[in-house]
Amino acid sequence: MSNSGCPFNGDANKRELEEDIHTDFKDDMSYSDYLQLEQVLSAQQPLSKEHDEMLFIIIHQSSELWLKLAGHELAKALECLRADDFGPAFKVIARVKQIFIQLTQSWNILSTLTPVDYLKFRDDLGRSSGFQSHGYRKLEFLLGNKNSDMLKVHKNNNQAYQELALLLNSPSLYDEVIATLVKAGFSIDDCVLNRDVTQAYQSNESVVKAWLAVYQQPEKYFELYELAEKLVDIEDSFQQWRFKHMYTVQRIIGYKAGTGGSSGVSFLKKALEVSFFPELFEVRTLL
């Protein structure tokens, strides 16, 4: 059909550049300058010529940025709890929950990578593996899943090794929460208060009893009650992320061994059995 009777007007569907919008960045910092986008966007360097390797790299690089932010927020949460500043602590803990929701969603994107397409470049990864993620291990240590053996993976990166060693030897988020219970007047066993913080936390009956009292009297202990639920939010979202990670790996490589030498899916499943705040789940049975 001829359109000669309808002259085309390109301006009808055009947004004009407003007069005050800045366009000259010769002497001013731009958006790209502020975010150092030249460095960020040039960091994707596929080792193969396979199309899907770019997806694989970007998913993992962006995940590392989210992990870095989660660690930043949890460090602030510890600082706030030491100062009994509950409001800001709640805020950053809630933010960590949302970060893990975002991270979980990223596995849905990676799951569009088919087994056949992944195998085309998997060998190019060598021994590199997400198990070696400094950001992930930092979160585990901050949340209390301590294991000194995990430091071995980072012995060739002095900065990462030193940071993780410091966290290994420092109280975790849950250690600070239990100290808050003590300040609120609850009796906690000395074996908990004086425990070796380099070891993974183990459930204790005195902590169960303290949380039971908090849940039975939420009006009296509202801040502790709210804190407990924020912690459960973190574990819930973290475990969903772990599960989706495991399931995505299973979907793409089945039960092959991991590139870093682990058993793969079987190893990832074991992480689902680890609880950061065990008493907060035990208390639900007792209510």
Side-chain angles (χ1 to χ4, degrees):
M1 180 181 292
S2 173
N3 196 36
S4 59
C6 301
F8 180 76
N9 182 0
D11 292 335
N13 193 32
K14 178 181 178 181
R15 181 173 64 164
E16 296 292 342
L17 188 67
E18 294 177 351
E19 185 178 340
D20 291 336
I21 290 180
H22 199 72
T23 59
D24 183 1
F25 295 95
K26 180 181 178 181
D27 298 315
D28 291 314
M29 179 176 65
S30 70
Y31 173 80
S32 179
D33 295 333
Y34 175 68
L35 295 177
Q36 300 187 52
L37 291 183
E38 184 175 347
Q39 295 94 313
V40 172
L41 298 180
S42 64
Q44 297 73 47
Q45 300 292 330
L47 298 178
S48 74
K49 295 181 179 180
E50 299 301 327
H51 173 81
D52 286 347
E53 190 181 355
M54 183 64 78
L55 163 69
F56 190 84
I57 290 173
I58 289 178
I59 287 292
H60 287 85
Q61 286 183 341
S62 59
S63 293
E64 288 299 324
L65 288 173
W66 286 119
L67 291 172
K68 181 176 182 178
L69 180 59
H72 176 73
E73 301 298 346
L74 284 178
K76 181 64 175 180
L78 266 78
E79 178 185 320
C80 292
L81 287 175
R82 293 188 191 107
D84 296 325
D85 201 356
F86 286 95
F90 293 160
K91 177 182 177 180
V92 295
I93 291 173
R95 184 175 293 162
V96 172
K97 170 189 173 181
Q98 295 301 322
I99 291 170
F100 279 110
I101 291 173
Q102 178 73 21
L103 281 164
T104 301
Q105 172 61 27
S106 72
W107 294 124
N108 292 331
I109 304 172
L110 188 62
S111 67
T112 65
L113 178 64
T114 68
V116 172
D117 288 330
Y118 178 51
L119 289 175
K120 291 176 181 177
F121 65 85
R122 187 178 191 240
D123 288 344
D124 292 298
L125 303 182
R127 291 296 185 184
S128 64
S129 165
F131 179 76
Q132 299 147 18
S133 168
H134 158 251
Y136 174 78
R137 197 62 56 204
K138 178 178 178 178
L139 283 184
E140 290 238 309
F141 282 10
L142 282 167
L143 291 171
N145 186 21
K146 306 287 188 69
N147 185 340
S148 59
D149 286 342
M150 299 300 179
L151 288 177
K152 297 175 183 177
V153 178
H154 304 280
K155 63 184 178 182
N156 294 323
N157 183 335
N158 187 60
Q159 183 176 350
Y161 186 92
Q162 293 301 325
E163 181 179 21
L164 290 175
L166 179 61
L167 289 174
L168 179 72
N169 288 278
S170 302
S172 70
L173 176 67
Y174 199 42
D175 290 321
E176 296 296 346
V177 168
I178 291 174
T180 301
L181 288 172
V182 173
K183 285 187 279 187
F186 290 102
S187 178
I188 304 297
D189 291 344
D190 287 341
C191 64
V192 176
L193 301 179
N194 300 314
R195 75 182 192 87
D196 180 357
V197 297
T198 67
Q199 301 299 310
Y201 181 81
Q202 300 293 321
S203 177
N204 177 268
E205 185 62 27
S206 68
V207 179
V208 173
K209 289 180 179 178
W211 284 126
L212 183 59
V214 169
Y215 273 84
Q216 288 174 333
Q217 305 173 78
E219 296 83 5
K220 180 178 179 180
Y221 300 111
F222 182 76
E223 287 183 327
L224 290 172
Y225 177 68
E226 182 70 10
L227 176 59
E229 286 299 289
K230 294 287 189 219
L231 295 180
V232 171
D233 281 345
I234 285 184
E235 179 146 340
D236 185 354
S237 59
F238 197 102
Q239 290 287 47
Q240 289 186 54
W241 178 57
R242 278 173 164 169
F243 176 81
K244 189 63 177 177
H245 178 199
M246 178 276 296
Y247 202 83
T248 303
V249 171
Q250 179 176 284
R251 172 173 176 158
I252 296 175
I253 67 168
Y255 286 86
K256 289 184 175 70
T259 50
S262 76
S263 58
V265 168
S266 298
F267 183 73
L268 294 174
K269 283 183 176 179
K270 293 176 183 177
L272 296 172
E273 301 171 1
V274 176
S275 175
F276 300 120
F277 322 119
E279 295 94 346
L280 291 178
F281 292 89
E282 293 173 35
V283 76
R284 282 154 164 75
T285 307
L286 302 175
L287 287 171

